[in-house]
Amino acid sequence: MDRVDISIVVPLLNEEESLPELCSWIKRVCEEKAFSYEIILVDDGSTDKSWEVILDIKEKDSNVRGIKFRRNYGKSAALNVGFEAATGDIVITMDADLQDSPEEIPELYRMVMEDNYDLVSGWKKKRHDPISKTVPSKFFNAFTRRMSGIKLHDFNCGLKAYKNEVVKNIEVYGEMHRYIPVIAKWEGFTKIGEKVVQHQARKYGSSKFTGLKRAINGFLDIISISFIGRFGKAPMHFFGLLGTFLFFMGFVVALYIGGVKIYRLSNQMQTTLVTDNPYFYIALTIIILGTMLFLVGFLAELINQNNPRRSQYKVESRI
Ligand code: UDP
Ligand code: MG
């Protein structure tokens, strides 16, 4: 197989109007710089004519490949499948809606090839989106920056460039495409750069990410991401420690209650039933909780051992 300089991975959901324009623009830029390239269009279960449009583009341009999901799995799933398919030395991801400009490709390519970045993230410094998106984004970025220690302004930019080995070593699912730099860092790809990129207002169609659900899912994902990053490989370090600690506390209290009872009995002092003592129930609860946490940790370790792959998406066709 021929070597490919750049794989451009484009996740898309109902973007029929934008696709022809996007592909011919990418083609123009890549041919100008004499890059060998492939465009991998991942149709994330579109219900419009996107797939027909892709078949049509493919007909005219053999650099285009297409993957079609049976249903909508989300942007992360689409990216993940695109990453698996990518053969280029450098992989560039881009939204399908023409908000990201293909003109950025050559410089992103240069930064990865020459400046040796593992990952370069776009920064939509001047952003053309409604305020309902830009304000939550500011909070999200500040939070993710603090949590991850990665100094990026715009984690969720669709336009990013990677060394091939980076995308082959990360797995994205759920809503985790927002945290790819964080995931990459945890996998040991620490040279992460940033480039200010052009951003346009959406030309056709409408945004697929709106509303409260997006914010809530994003928040839950960052909790699981930071947890997985810290304890994913050794869940027992978290659950086992907490479980043992609780069990031990409960045990000490129970021991104390029992001790007092025996002492009083042996000195013929007046005693009450152990079960009349409220602390007895607290101790009991803590012991049970501790045991359960310990078991959860143990189960998590067992699941890790068998390591089921999460990214099993039903692909309908590939071209
Ligand atoms: N997208 C996708 N699957 C989804 C939602 C979105 O593949 O479930 C694609 C969408 O078609 C676009 C990119 O992800 O190419 C970014 O989505 P969008 O432009 O709607 O997000 P925004 O720019 O408004 O944040
Ligand atoms: Mg967009």
Side-chain angles (χ1 to χ4, degrees):
M1 214 162 78
D2 290 344
R3 239 196 75 258
V4 177
D5 292 326
I6 309 179
S7 296
I8 295 142
V9 173
V10 183
L12 63 111
L13 174 64
N14 300 336
E15 308 279 5
E16 54 182 5
E17 303 101 325
S18 315
L19 293 173
E21 214 168 306
L22 178 75
C23 289
S24 58
W25 194 355
I26 293 175
K27 184 181 166 78
R28 200 175 66 229
V29 171
C30 288
E31 282 180 355
E32 214 166 85
K33 300 279 173 190
F35 291 134
S36 58
Y37 69 101
E38 60 180 1
I39 305 176
I40 303 176
L41 300 168
V42 188
D43 182 347
D44 183 16
S46 297
T47 50
D48 67 354
K49 294 242 170 342
S50 292
W51 185 247
E52 283 80 354
V53 173
I54 291 171
L55 290 173
D56 202 49
I57 300 174
K58 160 96 186 159
E59 195 94 325
K60 292 171 207 138
D61 186 350
S62 59
N63 293 315
V64 174
R65 299 167 62 192
I67 299 172
K68 177 176 170 54
F69 280 163
R70 281 202 178 276
R71 65 164 176 88
N72 176 244
Y73 286 102
K75 186 178 178 182
S76 293
L79 284 172
N80 202 68
V81 167
F83 286 164
E84 280 171 9
T87 59
D89 296 343
I90 298 225
V91 179
I92 294 181
T93 59
M94 193 180 284
D95 288 353
D97 55 0
L98 296 165
Q99 291 199 273
D100 302 325
S101 163
E103 303 293 339
E104 307 288 352
I105 292 174
E107 176 60 13
L108 287 171
Y109 179 81
R110 196 201 62 75
M111 286 177 80
V112 177
M113 282 309 259
E114 287 171 28
D115 301 344
N116 202 28
Y117 282 106
D118 292 319
L119 188 169
V120 180
S121 179
W123 172 15
K124 297 163 288 190
K125 196 168 184 180
K126 195 164 179 332
R127 201 172 159 182
H128 299 271
D129 273 325
I131 192 160
S132 61
K133 295 188 86 110
T134 52
V135 170
S137 270
K138 283 220 157 57
F139 283 105
F140 158 77
N141 281 311
F143 187 67
T144 313
R145 237 184 342 260
R146 271 205 75 126
M147 192 220 64
S148 65
I150 303 172
K151 301 277 169 286
L152 288 181
H153 292 87
D154 188 3
F155 281 85
N156 193 19
C157 186
L159 187 54
K160 288 189 174 64
Y162 312 80
K163 280 189 185 140
N164 187 298
E165 57 171 330
V166 177
V167 303
K168 300 294 181 193
N169 280 289
I170 58 179
E171 194 188 355
V172 260
Y173 58 93
E175 297 286 309
M176 289 186 186
H177 56 269
R178 302 199 178 95
Y179 310 102
I180 293 181
V182 184
I183 299 171
K185 186 182 168 192
W186 271 319
E187 294 298 337
F189 301 104
T190 48
K191 193 156 165 41
I192 296 173
E194 186 166 52
K195 176 185 187 310
V196 175
V197 295
Q198 299 288 327
H199 189 243
Q200 278 80 239
R202 208 180 224 283
K203 202 163 158 188
Y204 308 105
S206 55
S207 172
K208 313 296 183 294
F209 293 105
T210 45
L212 197 62
K213 205 172 137 225
R214 163 177 177 258
I216 293 172
N217 288 345
F219 175 71
L220 292 177
D221 276 348
I222 202 163
I223 294 180
S224 42
I225 274 237
S226 49
F227 185 82
I228 290 169
R230 222 173 298 170
F231 302 110
K233 298 273 185 303
M236 204 56 181
H237 291 181
F238 176 79
F239 292 107
L241 184 74
L242 201 64
T244 310
F245 176 71
L246 286 181
F247 185 92
F248 194 70
M249 286 225 321
F251 192 71
V252 168
V253 174
L255 215 60
Y256 175 76
I257 295 170
V260 169
K261 174 87 180 181
I262 290 168
Y263 173 80
R264 286 182 160 253
L265 276 178
S266 55
N267 290 297
Q268 268 121 40
M269 294 160 76
Q270 196 190 354
T271 64
T272 55
L273 283 172
V274 166
T275 48
D276 285 342
N277 185 343
Y279 287 106
F280 171 76
Y281 294 100
I282 294 175
L284 200 65
T285 312
I286 296 179
I287 288 175
I288 294 172
L289 259 181
T291 313
M292 282 168 75
L293 277 173
F294 197 88
L295 283 175
V296 166
F298 194 64
L299 275 179
E301 290 283 352
L302 282 179
I303 292 171
N304 251 2
Q305 285 270 309
N306 297 308
N307 195 19
R309 296 214 13 107
R310 237 165 320 229
S311 49
Q312 273 160 5
Y313 308 112
K314 294 275 177 282
V315 171
E316 189 178 320
S317 41
R318 275 172 204 272
I319 53 163

